[in-house]
Amino acid sequence: MKRGADSTMTRRELMGAPVLATGLLGAFATPVGAQIAESLAARQPNRRRGSRIVDSHVHLWQLPRSGPPMSDGATFPTGCCGSVPWMEVNRMPRDYDARVGGPKVDKLVLIESSVGVAPDKMIQSNLWMLHTAAADEKILSVVGNLDVTQPATAFGQQLSQLAQNKLFVGLRIGGGIFKPGVPRSFSTIQPNVLNNLTSMAKQGLQIDALGIPGAILSQIGAAVPGLTIVMDHFAGKARTFEVEDPWKADMHAAAVYPGLNIKVSDVHKLSSQAVPGRPAGLTQFQPVADPSKYAPTLEFLWRTFRPDRLIFGTNWPVSDAGGIFVDSIDLEIDILESFLTGQYAGGRDQVMFQNALRVYSPRK
């Protein structure tokens, strides 16, 4: 067996056999810190200094999800949203790197895509992600999925099982945290949620949030000190070039909590209504390529959250809604890099990789 210069086993070597057993979760972790910085610097030595990139939002899968190796029964992407042929193929790191923009990216954060997974298969879904991350050094870490509304004892057992692996850095949560059938507010969050999030914060784990207003997340942050929160995909902004007043007001409320970050992912979808005249979910469209069109939204977020709370991501391969003639990874990189010049150049590295390393680096 070959080993590195420091005699440690690589993650790929650790995963020489398809181990998914609970007792070996901890074996998937590797030393962090200096290794991450060295990997980012050395991966593409011919690129200009300061051009490092972490894509903080990528989904991966191997189909069919009902069978090995995933075996989690998820309805995403097949069966979730009608016929989506451009999504219904295997999506792994090698497919990401086959894109024009893929080799420009140094590290990936793997985000859960466990729509429709039954409760008894949820651990399996998380284990597959950790297995995949351990086998590929391009993957920085994993944000998984657990039911944060379940009783503290059951949640704690599942969280402890996953947290044995240092590549596990947090969970993504959504509208399911609220009581059904009533308006969503801080007061209608289900009873166990805040206690479970407190348990996560004590272990240094973060949350990605989708479909939860910023004002409520700010209140959650105040109630759970030390919790790091990331709002995905421009924090639920409408897919237009307008900077809408209701969204601006929610972002101002969100910014009150200093531990709340905004993920500037799927940026090209801000143009979806400008092109086909309707929002683009999993419907492909040809996005506007002119980076200046996206500047008003990015400028507002820059002023509101400053560059130390903005995090770049693509949402690949869902981002391929940007049409069959567009490399969505390369396009999103170009839009952000074009914005992060001139008066905004000083925050380039924070937005494109440093903030992602702060939030998503494997736990020590």
Side-chain angles (χ1 to χ4, degrees):
M1 179 180 292
K2 295 182 180 179
R3 295 176 182 265
D6 61 354
S7 297
T8 59
M9 296 174 64
T10 66
R11 289 200 287 185
R12 192 177 301 278
E13 290 167 344
L14 283 169
M15 294 309 302
V19 179
L20 288 176
T22 300
L24 294 183
L25 273 171
F28 295 167
T30 55
V32 295
Q35 285 190 356
I36 295 172
E38 289 171 5
S39 174
L40 287 171
R43 188 174 183 88
Q44 294 179 339
N46 295 325
R47 283 167 43 191
R48 60 175 167 69
R49 180 178 176 84
S51 63
R52 292 171 284 177
I53 300 173
V54 172
D55 184 344
S56 68
H57 204 101
V58 170
H59 304 289
L60 301 176
W61 52 74
Q62 290 179 271
L63 302 179
R65 292 188 63 160
S66 58
M70 295 197 74
S71 303
D72 65 358
T75 57
F76 192 89
T78 303
C80 82
C81 318
S83 178
V84 193
W86 54 274
M87 289 268 283
E88 293 170 4
V89 291
N90 290 345
R91 285 291 180 246
M92 296 294 287
R94 61 181 173 272
D95 304 304
Y96 184 97
D97 281 339
R99 301 305 183 93
V100 173
K104 297 180 180 180
V105 175
D106 300 276
K107 292 286 184 180
L108 308 174
V109 178
L110 176 52
I111 306 293
E112 64 87 24
S113 57
S114 48
V115 179
V117 175
D120 64 339
K121 295 290 183 67
M122 191 59 73
I123 285 293
Q124 170 66 22
S125 188
N126 286 280
L127 290 178
W128 180 85
M129 289 187 289
L130 291 168
H131 171 94
T132 301
D136 196 302
E137 293 182 352
K138 186 157 183 167
I139 300 177
L140 178 67
S141 59
V142 170
V143 175
N145 187 7
L146 291 176
D147 179 6
V148 296
T149 70
Q150 62 185 314
T153 299
F155 177 79
Q157 290 173 346
Q158 293 180 352
L159 189 69
S160 177
Q161 182 178 356
L162 298 176
Q164 293 177 48
N165 190 320
K166 301 305 182 184
L167 299 180
F168 175 77
V169 297
L171 298 172
R172 184 154 71 152
I173 66 173
I177 69 169
F178 298 100
K179 298 174 183 176
V182 296
R184 294 179 177 181
S185 68
F186 183 75
S187 64
T188 61
I189 293 174
Q190 296 201 52
N192 298 317
V193 171
L194 294 180
N195 285 337
N196 290 336
L197 295 183
T198 298
S199 176
M200 290 182 61
K202 289 179 178 178
Q203 297 181 59
L205 298 166
Q206 59 81 234
I207 59 168
D208 268 43
L210 184 65
I212 303 174
I216 297 175
L217 288 170
S218 187
Q219 291 176 286
I220 289 174
V224 185
L227 180 65
T228 297
I229 301 172
V230 180
M231 294 189 73
D232 290 346
H233 309 326
F234 281 83
K237 185 193 176 302
R239 292 167 179 172
T240 72
F241 290 135
E242 301 296 324
V243 186
E244 299 86 357
D245 287 340
W247 179 74
K248 287 169 62 176
D250 190 55
M251 291 301 93
H252 285 303
V256 171
Y257 179 58
L260 189 148
N261 308 266
I262 303 296
K263 192 176 289 185
V264 285
S265 49
D266 251 357
V267 60
H268 60 309
K269 288 186 182 177
L270 296 181
S271 70
S272 64
Q273 288 192 13
V275 181
R278 60 182 181 180
L282 297 182
T283 301
Q284 287 192 306
F285 71 105
Q286 298 303 122
V288 173
D290 180 3
S292 68
K293 299 292 186 180
Y294 304 86
T297 298
L298 293 169
E299 288 170 349
F300 169 76
L301 289 174
W302 179 284
R303 292 193 305 269
T304 305
F305 293 91
R306 307 305 302 165
D308 58 318
R309 290 204 273 165
L310 303 180
I311 303 175
F312 172 73
T314 63
N315 196 27
W316 187 84
V318 184
S319 61
D320 282 347
I324 59 176
F325 302 114
V326 176
D327 174 10
S328 63
I329 301 169
D330 197 49
L331 176 61
E332 292 191 70
I333 291 172
D334 183 64
I335 292 170
L336 265 294
E337 293 279 28
S338 296
F339 173 74
L340 294 167
T341 59
Q343 63 177 315
Y344 305 109
R348 186 270 171 201
D349 287 356
Q350 288 175 289
V351 176
M352 298 305 289
F353 76 93
Q354 289 175 353
N355 295 337
L357 292 180
R358 169 177 56 82
V359 172
Y360 295 111
S361 282
R363 295 170 297 114
K364 296 181 180 180

